[in-house]
Every structure is written in structure tokens, then in C-alpha cells.
Amino acid sequence: MGEAPERITIVPDDYHVPYAGTAEDGRRFFLSEELFDMETGYVGLFLWKSDGTFDEIRVTAVSGREGLPPGQAGPAGAEEVVPSRLAELGDFVLEPIEVEPFTQDVDGVTFGWKVEQYDGAYSVNIEPGDFIAYYEPWDGLEYDT
């Protein structure tokens, strides 16, 4: 079967990937308010250097996942956090980006783009919450939720 990806493409869309692109400083970014563990919702701003290597992650724990069953993705109820994080990017461009997968623990919770293998097939899952999974050909055009 295929090999673990060294890079994947993330393409912004109107579904689960509304904010992906290039920040004013040239760094690549992905912003989501759909990150979660069983108890908490998160807004996560994932940042890569302009060459696509991991740079940093900025995480804000939020409440407001009312009405969602445990383990289901959905907006975190962070109406004020998302615009604030977008403002940190300066003048940004929504566009496809090519970046390396990574994970990093923040306060005991794993965040990032985790490479996993099942029955010989690789996937890259956004953590926490595993709410998006990308597969070969790693072009970002299709993902599972």
C-alpha cells in the first residue's frame, strides 16, 4: 500500500475547513473551532513556517458544545475567539497550503495532524477529536469526517 505522507495539502472549503491559507507574515495556517475532547471544545490556530514545516499552535479552551453528543464535532461556541485569531494573522489569503503533519501536547491534550496506519493504509487525522481524516493522494480535495 502507500507510504506515510511527509506533506499534505489542506484546501479551504465551506464545510469543515473554512480557514486555511497564508498569513501576512508568510506562514501557513489552519484555524478550527471544531476541535474537542470528551469534555472541552477548543479553538486551535495551527501555524507552519512558509516552507510548510511546523512552527506553533495557539489553543483556546472554550465551552459551548451544548446539544452535541460526546465525540461529535461541531462549532465550539467561540464567537469572539475566531475573529481574534484571524486578526492575529494580519492580511491573510485563503488558499491551498502544503504542510507537514505534526503533533504537540498542550496541557495534556494532543493537538495536530496525526499520521496513523490501519490495515496498511495511512491517514492524517486532525486532533483532538479526530473530526477530519485525510487520505492518499494527500491533495486535500476530499476528507472523511
Side-chain angles (χ1 to χ4, degrees):
M1 299 209 109
E3 295 182 17
E6 293 183 21
R7 299 285 172 124
I8 65 167
T9 300
I10 304 168
V11 178
D13 64 24
D14 293 331
Y15 189 43
H16 288 293
V17 188
Y19 304 112
T22 303
E24 184 172 3
D25 66 5
R27 291 190 291 176
R28 309 306 185 223
F29 73 90
F30 171 81
L31 175 67
S32 178
E33 65 175 321
E34 295 189 56
L35 306 169
F36 65 94
D37 61 17
M38 296 309 280
E39 302 291 323
T40 307
Y42 301 95
V43 174
L45 176 59
F46 300 86
L47 294 159
W48 294 264
K49 297 173 185 167
S50 62
D51 67 1
T53 58
F54 172 67
D55 190 23
E56 70 174 299
I57 180 170
R58 300 175 188 169
V59 175
T60 304
V62 295
S63 60
R65 292 184 41 79
E66 294 178 24
L68 288 176
Q72 181 176 330
E79 293 79 17
E80 70 285 348
V81 178
V82 171
S84 176
R85 289 289 187 215
L86 288 171
E88 294 172 15
L89 299 171
D91 289 332
F92 61 87
V93 177
L94 297 177
E95 63 185 352
I97 57 173
E98 186 176 304
V99 296
E100 68 180 4
F102 73 91
T103 59
Q104 179 176 346
D105 283 353
V106 177
D107 297 328
V109 178
T110 300
F111 288 84
W113 299 72
K114 184 177 180 182
V115 177
E116 295 188 313
Q117 184 182 25
Y118 181 76
D119 281 343
Y122 286 94
S123 65
V124 176
N125 304 302
I126 302 174
E127 300 290 340
D130 187 16
F131 79 98
I132 294 178
Y134 288 93
Y135 298 92
E136 283 189 284
W138 315 115
D139 60 8
L141 297 177
E142 293 186 33
Y143 52 81
D144 286 338
T145 57

